[in-house]
Amino acid sequence: MSAGVAFSQGMSLGKSEFAGKLMKQSAATIAPAKFQNAAVSVRAAGYDEELVKTAKKIASPGRGILAMDESNATCGLRLASIGLENTEVNRQAYRQLLVGTPGLGEYVSGAILFEETLYQSTTDGNKMVDVLTQAGIVPGIKVDKGLVPLAGSNNESWCQGLDGLASRTAAYYKQGARFAKWRTVISIPNGPSELAVTEAAWGLARYAAISQDNGLVPIVEPEILLDGSHGIDRTLEVAQKVWSKVFFFLAENNVLFEGILLKPSMVTPGAECPERAAPEKVAEYTLTLLKRRVPPSVPGIMFLSGGQSEVEATLNLNAMNQSPNPWHVSFSYARALQNSVLKTWKGQPENVEAAQKALLVRAKANSLAQLGKYSAEGEAEEAKKGMFVKGYTY
């Protein structure tokens, strides 16, 4: 009913009669119109059941994720640390060492790969994704295109890679990947500005929706960098703000919470803060953050190590699993699983078996930490050394 018609009818009818007629008109036309325009979220390819199944498999008791998705440039830095050139042959040798470790699937449920590795084969002709799958490890893929300066911010950055993401994730699924990772970062010393937090949260949400549309479980990772001299309370304050916005935008983009995994930073003091926090305090603050911001429908929280020492990252994870949690609380470590491996391997073929055993030692330690049963007794001094790098890029 138009405003003009309503007015003219109202002039010829009594107030009560006119009101009744208008209410009937509203029920007959306005309400159905609202219903007809209501948005119903349906993922294009209908992967929901598979997404939930994949997420649950990765978030299985006593297992976590091996993050081996370093870009070729970053992998080159790792190789350089043991005196090796950054060549495809050397990258292949190192990645083959990792994925081919016997028994790794007992402790590791997923492995994040760089694009080169997803399409790479071992020296005996087996696809690396097939080696992982046969070991019961779900292959994943890094899909972001790295960090670039964020114009208009306080010297902060944003993560690029949404252009062409739909076609890339479809191709990665076809190649055997079943989950994805997108890393963006938040810097506490640089603000963080409202612009940087919003950009990070929106980018993660769009990536997550696109990944789910193409069958990949998205790992949502807004890494709050360790850089800075701030205390643990400031980290918690920023983390709460970031995760609040992340989940708001995830919901706005109709992301299926049961089909995602989170990869948060633990709530710790800044790396340059003189007051350090014991594992029990890190656990208390981190679990407080999760309980305030993360819905219980999310199946897994897979923490990044962020430059902590191998032992520190494991101790903190263990402290978080001393009582039941609504989610699977586990690990998605790169340096905290690989540091000892690289130093044992040294690029020498005769050291491969020893390096693989070193990987199993770290993987088992974190498996026990996921179950709340880890003890640092007998850990090597090398594993206790911190690996923080200021302004670290991946």
Side-chain angles (χ1 to χ4, degrees):
M1 180 186 293
S2 69
V5 171
F7 180 77
S8 62
Q9 288 186 2
M11 292 292 290
S12 60
L13 296 172
K15 286 184 179 179
S16 60
E17 187 180 357
F18 173 62
K21 187 176 178 89
L22 188 60
M23 287 176 69
K24 288 179 182 178
Q25 178 75 11
S26 298
T29 59
I30 300 174
K34 283 184 177 179
F35 178 78
Q36 290 165 5
N37 291 334
V40 179
S41 171
V42 179
R43 253 162 290 285
Y47 285 105
D48 285 13
E49 287 187 13
E50 183 181 346
L51 292 168
V52 173
K53 185 178 178 181
T54 300
K56 285 183 177 178
K57 181 175 181 179
I58 295 172
S60 55
R63 300 207 294 170
I65 294 173
L66 168 62
M68 48 178 290
D69 57 315
E70 299 90 347
S71 66
N72 287 348
T74 303
C75 190
L77 295 176
R78 303 273 172 88
L79 295 175
S81 72
I82 56 170
L84 289 184
E85 287 185 55
N86 186 14
T87 65
E88 183 178 353
V89 170
N90 286 335
R91 293 193 299 271
Q92 177 195 38
Y94 180 56
R95 289 161 177 166
Q96 180 174 324
L97 180 161
L98 296 173
V99 304
T101 298
L104 186 62
E106 184 177 350
Y107 312 117
V108 170
S109 54
I112 312 172
L113 311 177
F114 189 61
E115 188 175 62
E116 180 181 71
T117 319
L118 184 69
Y119 292 93
Q120 210 166 33
S121 295
T122 62
T123 51
D124 53 7
N126 296 315
K127 292 180 181 177
M128 293 212 187
V129 289
D130 292 340
V131 175
L132 289 168
T133 302
Q134 289 163 13
I137 300 171
V138 181
I141 178 70
K142 170 186 166 73
V143 300
D144 68 78
K145 293 294 184 179
L147 301 168
V148 292
L150 177 62
S153 72
N154 185 27
N155 197 28
E156 295 162 290
S157 60
W158 67 284
C159 189
Q160 56 187 347
L162 289 177
D163 288 350
L165 182 59
S167 59
R168 285 191 291 119
T169 48
Y172 296 151
Y173 181 92
K174 187 176 181 180
Q175 183 62 17
R178 289 298 177 268
F179 71 101
K181 172 201 161 178
W182 175 286
R183 174 186 181 256
T184 193
V185 301
I186 298 294
S187 170
I188 292 180
N190 290 355
S193 67
E194 186 67 26
L195 173 63
V197 172
T198 301
E199 176 61 45
W202 179 255
L204 283 166
R206 289 305 304 142
Y207 138 77
I210 293 167
S211 295
Q212 287 190 338
D213 263 0
N214 291 286
L216 301 183
V217 170
I219 289 182
V220 178
E221 181 184 0
E223 179 176 353
I224 297 172
L225 297 171
L226 282 177
D227 303 56
S229 58
H230 53 276
I232 193 169
D233 288 289
R234 175 60 176 156
T235 305
L236 176 61
E237 178 188 1
V238 171
Q240 288 183 144
K241 178 180 180 180
V242 171
W243 280 103
S244 176
K245 190 146 289 191
V246 166
F247 273 101
F248 174 79
F249 284 133
L250 287 172
E252 286 287 292
N253 282 273
N254 300 308
V255 171
L256 177 69
F257 287 0
E258 293 86 348
I260 68 174
L261 296 168
L262 304 187
K263 186 171 179 176
S265 311
M266 296 179 190
V267 180
T268 67
E272 297 167 64
C273 178
E275 185 179 344
R276 306 314 299 160
E280 294 75 20
K281 188 167 187 178
V282 171
E284 177 192 351
Y285 273 68
T286 304
L287 291 175
T288 295
L289 165 68
L290 298 181
K291 290 170 183 175
R292 289 176 177 173
R293 292 293 182 267
V294 181
S297 55
V298 174
I301 316 290
M302 322 300 284
F303 282 100
L304 58 90
S305 55
Q308 300 176 71
S309 75
E310 291 177 327
V311 170
E312 183 183 10
T314 309
L315 281 170
N316 288 338
L317 178 62
N318 185 69
M320 280 183 262
N321 282 298
Q322 293 307 300
S323 58
N325 292 303
W327 334 264
H328 175 80
V329 175
S330 193
F331 61 93
S332 178
Y333 294 165
R335 286 173 285 174
L337 281 176
Q338 296 183 46
N339 191 50
S340 295
V341 180
L342 267 171
K343 292 183 177 181
T344 303
W345 178 46
K346 299 176 183 176
Q348 303 301 317
E350 63 270 21
N351 293 338
V352 167
E353 186 177 344
Q356 290 177 330
K357 287 181 179 177
L359 176 57
L360 285 179
V361 166
R362 295 268 35 101
K364 182 178 181 179
N366 286 290
S367 169
L368 290 170
Q370 197 288 310
L371 299 170
K373 299 177 180 179
Y374 168 74
S375 169
E377 186 177 348
E379 286 278 20
E381 287 303 311
E382 182 65 33
K384 299 176 183 178
K385 294 180 180 178
M387 293 176 282
F388 169 71
V389 177
K390 193 169 185 177
Y392 181 71
T393 57
Y394 207 70

